Amino acid sequence: MDSEKNDAEVQAEGVLNSRLQQIVHTLDKVRYVMRCIFGDPKNAPPPLVRLSGKSLVSAIWKGDSSIVAELIQSMEPHVEEEVLSDLKAKIRAHDPSESEDIEGGIRNSLLWLRDELRTLSCTYKCRHDAAADLIHLYAYTKCFFRVRDYKTVKSPPVHISPLDLGPKYADKLGPGFQEYCKTYPENYCLAQLIYWYSQNSEPESRLTRARKGCMSLPDVSSFYVKSAKPSQERAYGNRTVRFMLSRMEKQAQRPWPKDRIWVFKSDPRFFGSPMMDTVLNNSPLDKEMVHWLKTRPNVFLG
């Protein structure tokens, strides 16, 4: 038992030292990019900007690319023109722009829209009830933010010889010196900060998949399809909802799988989810939000 305890302590110390080293590497890389763009890294603005006021209303309710606008656009091929016109008029009447409490007004408007969607007739090609569940998640999300894209940075050239890489790379590199430049894309700093614990030459390539579900909610168009035949991946029922709730409650940090009904934008305009709120506020998921998803009656069985 003593030897196992000593081995565990040595291993834990090794992990701690490795993590400290990775933090140093991350800060050094981010500081370098910020210095290239802003001169002094202290002058760099934060990589994330919280949405509030008019910017939040535009992203959720009124903008041309808002969630509500995308919902209407997705519904259009599946809903009668009279029903759609009536819904648009009601949406304008529930505009939260003039509310004294913008965030509270948006939440109340989204909850109204959730209930309104559940009154519409569903088919396997237009799942208004599933869209209502997604609107419910947006309503209970407290913090939305966007990424502040920094400029793309290209490092000065570095000259590399075969001796720098070792003998097994000599044939691949060829004789003499080769010139190499490193390109840091707009979202490099954010990706590097998120993946501080796992050093990678291109952390931004992993960012798109990692944020699906846990950082950004699915696209509302997920539930309105154009294919002639339904598939297993397009199913949305009790099993899918139970899986979603299990992932949200027990594995909040994990991305949602791509073999389900959900579709995600490769480059979303903003982020925010109930799971992110739990991290920011150091609190469990909103009980009222979870209770509604667990107890609301099914309006479509398909």
Side-chain angles (χ1 to χ4, degrees), residues 22-51:
Q22 288 162 347
I23 287 178
V24 172
H25 288 167
T26 291
L27 294 176
D28 188 59
K29 292 176 180 179
V30 171
R31 189 180 291 113
Y32 170 78
V33 174
M34 290 181 170
R35 186 167 59 247
C36 291
I37 300 174
F38 303 102
D40 186 349
K42 294 181 180 179
N43 295 330
L48 299 178
V49 181
R50 182 165 184 169
L51 299 180

Side-chain angles (χ1 to χ4, degrees), residues 129-147:
D129 58 327
D133 285 357
L134 178 61
I135 295 297
H136 178 75
L137 296 181
Y138 274 110
Y140 279 89
T141 300
K142 297 179 176 63
C143 179
F144 292 98
F145 57 94
R146 66 175 177 84
V147 178

Side-chain angles (χ1 to χ4, degrees), residues 206-220:
R206 303 167 60 188
L207 190 57
T208 300
R209 179 182 179 276
R211 61 195 178 195
K212 292 180 178 179
C214 54
M215 286 180 63
S216 59
L217 293 172
D219 191 12
V220 73

Side-chain angles (χ1 to χ4, degrees), residues 19-256:
R19 290 288 190 260
L20 290 173
Q21 191 176 41
Q22 288 162 347
I23 287 178
V24 172
H25 288 167
T26 291
L27 294 176
D28 188 59
K29 292 176 180 179
V30 171
R31 189 180 291 113
Y32 170 78
V33 174
M34 290 181 170
R35 186 167 59 247
C36 291
I37 300 174
F38 303 102
D40 186 349
K42 294 181 180 179
N43 295 330
L48 299 178
V49 181
R50 182 165 184 169
L51 299 180
S52 61
K54 292 182 179 179
S55 62
L56 183 59
V57 175
S58 177
I60 302 294
W61 199 264
K62 289 188 69 173
D64 294 336
S65 301
S66 66
I67 295 170
V68 173
E70 291 178 355
L71 172 66
I72 294 297
Q73 185 178 5
S74 301
M75 292 173 62
E76 197 166 0
H78 306 284
V79 180
E80 295 179 2
E81 185 176 350
E82 183 179 347
V83 175
L84 194 65
S85 298
D86 182 56
L87 180 62
K88 288 179 180 179
K90 291 179 179 178
I91 287 173
R92 288 192 293 270
H94 285 82
D95 184 356
S97 301
E98 303 303 323
S99 175
E100 293 183 3
D101 177 12
I102 292 292
E103 294 184 2
I106 290 176
R107 177 175 177 174
N108 292 335
S109 295
L110 288 173
L111 291 176
W112 164 82
L113 180 58
R114 174 201 70 185
D115 296 337
E116 191 72 16
L117 287 174
R118 287 176 58 81
T119 65
L120 302 178
S121 300
C122 301
T123 68
Y124 72 85
K125 294 178 69 175
C126 60
R127 295 298 304 273
H128 304 304
D129 58 327
D133 285 357
L134 178 61
I135 295 297
H136 178 75
L137 296 181
Y138 274 110
Y140 279 89
T141 300
K142 297 179 176 63
C143 179
F144 292 98
F145 57 94
R146 66 175 177 84
V147 178
R148 192 197 304 271
D149 287 337
Y150 299 147
K151 295 179 181 178
T152 298
V153 173
K154 193 171 184 179
S155 70
V158 177
H159 296 90
I160 303 174
S161 74
L163 295 177
D164 295 322
L165 301 179
K168 69 177 183 178
Y169 291 98
D171 295 336
K172 297 180 181 179
L173 194 62
F177 287 88
Q178 300 291 328
E179 189 175 277
Y180 174 76
C181 294
K182 166 71 176 175
T183 300
Y184 302 90
E186 294 92 339
N187 59 351
Y188 175 84
C189 286
L190 177 64
Q192 184 63 54
L193 291 169
I194 289 177
Y195 286 109
W196 66 270
Y197 57 89
S198 176
Q199 296 302 312
N200 187 295
S201 60
E202 297 180 348
E204 66 280 357
S205 63
R206 303 167 60 188
L207 190 57
T208 300
R209 179 182 179 276
R211 61 195 178 195
K212 292 180 178 179
C214 54
M215 286 180 63
S216 59
L217 293 172
D219 191 12
V220 73
S221 66
S222 304
F223 314 110
Y224 300 92
V225 297
K226 299 178 181 179
S227 59
K229 297 181 180 179
S231 65
Q232 187 175 359
E233 289 77 13
R234 308 306 308 176
Y236 188 89
N238 291 335
R239 183 180 300 177
T240 304
V241 174
R242 284 197 301 268
F243 172 85
M244 177 179 70
L245 287 170
S246 176
R247 181 59 61 93
M248 290 169 63
E249 291 180 300
K250 300 176 183 178
Q251 297 175 315
Q253 79 282 3
R254 291 191 61 187
W256 292 11

